[in-house]
Amino acid sequence: MNIQPILEVEDFSKTFILHEQGKSLPSSQSVFLKAFPGRLTALIGPTGAGKSTVLKGIYRTYLPTSGRIMFTTGQGQILDLALADEHKILELRQEEIGFVTQFLHTLPRQSTEDVVAMPLIKEGVPHDIALEKARDILGKLNLPERLWAVSPATFSGGEKQRVNLARGLLAQPRLLLLDEPTASLDAKTTDRVIELIQNLKETGTAMIAIFHDMDLVKKLADDVVKLEPPVGTEHFFNSNTNEVA
Ligand SMILES: Nc1ncnc2c1ncn2[C@@H]1O[C@H](COP(=O)(O)OP(=O)(O)OP(=O)(O)O)[C@@H](O)[C@H]1O
Ligand SMILES: [Mg+2]
């Protein structure tokens, strides 16, 4: 394959130190993965294998214990996200790297449509156009219209996940991290998410997504990385066959 990766994670490991309990807890161990423009790398493996920890390391919620996280910016600068300063990380989160987590953290007074439109408004898209796009994607994700003008703070798990996805997908970052994006969704909404992810691939977005559902992996993944607790990773290459080994 001759396209260049936008992200290369090399030998990423994270051990949590539980000071109060005097213990250390190995999480992700020696993980290698790459993300490419217009392709989706699926991260699979059993509960506790350290999948979410890898995504949080890339987003710099956590610092890795060891390893390199080489990211190529839109300007062509190559930097190690494990070493980049806080200011640069915040800038990248605003402009280039998105994260749809399993949880939604929002301010209680912000309306759902504003939450979803916010990344576009920050990018300079006029407010009315950003709101129109936000409503369009909320409709596509089957979030009932009566909820658009209220805060998502009290939404159900599935409703919150729709808002989180709407915001993450609409922002169109260069690299999008997705942690079990369809875990709380019904079958119809899951199909919409599949469609939206496929559309996003066509725009050149690189994605790394955690899935437990192998059916989704078959439908969406171009590359598959399997994490095994506690030692090492296995790699499968999906190519055009969409076969998961
Ligand atoms: N902040 C933390 N402090 C201590 N231990 C942690 C922390 N975050 C994760 N861990 C531990 O690291 C291990 C891997 O957690 P992680 O959330 O990455 O797993 P996962 O592969 O995403 O699992 P799941 O499929 O259940 O979401 C777990 O044993 C977890 O208890
Ligand atoms: Mg997880």
Side-chain angles (χ1 to χ4, degrees):
M1 190 168 43
N2 49 19
I3 47 170
Q4 290 299 311
I6 170 175
L7 182 88
E8 283 191 78
V9 174
E10 295 165 3
D11 209 8
F12 174 100
S13 295
K14 176 71 182 174
T15 296
F16 291 101
I17 307 295
L18 308 175
H19 292 286
E20 285 166 17
Q21 298 167 55
K23 293 199 169 74
S24 68
L25 199 66
S27 178
S28 322
Q29 294 302 303
S30 194
V31 177
F32 291 80
L33 66 84
K34 292 180 186 175
F36 296 91
R39 291 173 71 89
L40 185 144
T41 301
L43 208 50
I44 61 168
T47 287
K51 304 179 297 298
S52 296
T53 301
V54 173
L55 292 196
K56 287 175 186 167
I58 296 168
Y59 201 63
R60 257 282 286 276
T61 312
Y62 298 147
L63 276 172
T65 308
S66 60
R68 304 201 311 160
I69 307 171
M70 306 311 291
F71 178 73
T72 306
T73 68
Q75 307 284 332
Q77 185 193 6
I78 299 175
L79 50 96
D80 186 344
L81 298 180
L83 301 176
D85 65 53
E86 290 290 320
H87 178 77
K88 187 71 192 173
I89 293 293
L90 292 179
E91 188 185 301
L92 289 174
R93 286 181 182 179
Q94 197 130 327
E95 292 168 9
E96 304 206 25
I97 305 177
F99 193 2
V100 177
T101 60
Q102 288 168 294
F103 307 100
L104 177 74
H105 305 284
T106 52
L107 301 170
R109 271 190 259 283
Q110 221 178 3
S111 75
T112 291
E113 54 196 17
D114 279 337
V115 167
V116 174
M118 195 50 70
L120 292 186
I121 293 167
K122 281 190 181 158
E123 266 174 35
V125 175
H127 197 258
D128 52 338
I129 293 174
L131 274 185
E132 206 175 297
K133 286 177 186 267
R135 290 173 188 146
D136 179 61
I137 197 159
L138 286 167
K140 283 188 178 136
L141 289 169
N142 302 318
L143 188 83
E145 202 171 331
R146 66 188 151 78
L147 297 177
W148 297 358
V150 297
S151 160
T154 54
F155 283 5
S156 74
E159 289 164 353
K160 280 185 180 166
Q161 191 159 35
R162 285 168 166 85
V163 177
N164 229 358
L165 270 164
R167 182 175 54 179
L169 296 171
L170 190 61
Q172 295 205 343
R174 291 179 61 246
L175 173 66
L176 182 59
L177 312 171
L178 299 150
D179 197 342
E180 300 191 46
T182 59
S184 332
L185 301 182
D186 54 51
K188 189 172 148 209
T189 311
T190 298
D191 285 344
R192 286 291 174 83
V193 173
I194 291 172
E195 242 174 73
L196 288 166
I197 288 178
Q198 277 160 345
N199 293 345
L200 210 50
K201 270 197 206 179
E202 277 160 31
T203 70
T205 298
M207 283 177 263
I208 305 172
I210 296 173
F211 293 117
H212 277 287
D213 179 351
M214 285 306 118
D215 204 38
L216 284 175
V217 174
K218 281 185 186 141
K219 283 183 180 143
L220 288 171
D222 301 285
D223 305 288
V224 182
V225 174
K226 185 173 186 197
L227 303 201
E228 294 284 5
V231 280
T233 54
E234 283 177 51
H235 292 257
F236 303 99
F237 186 59
N238 233 9
S239 179
N240 293 325
T241 63
N242 264 343
E243 291 278 309
V244 179

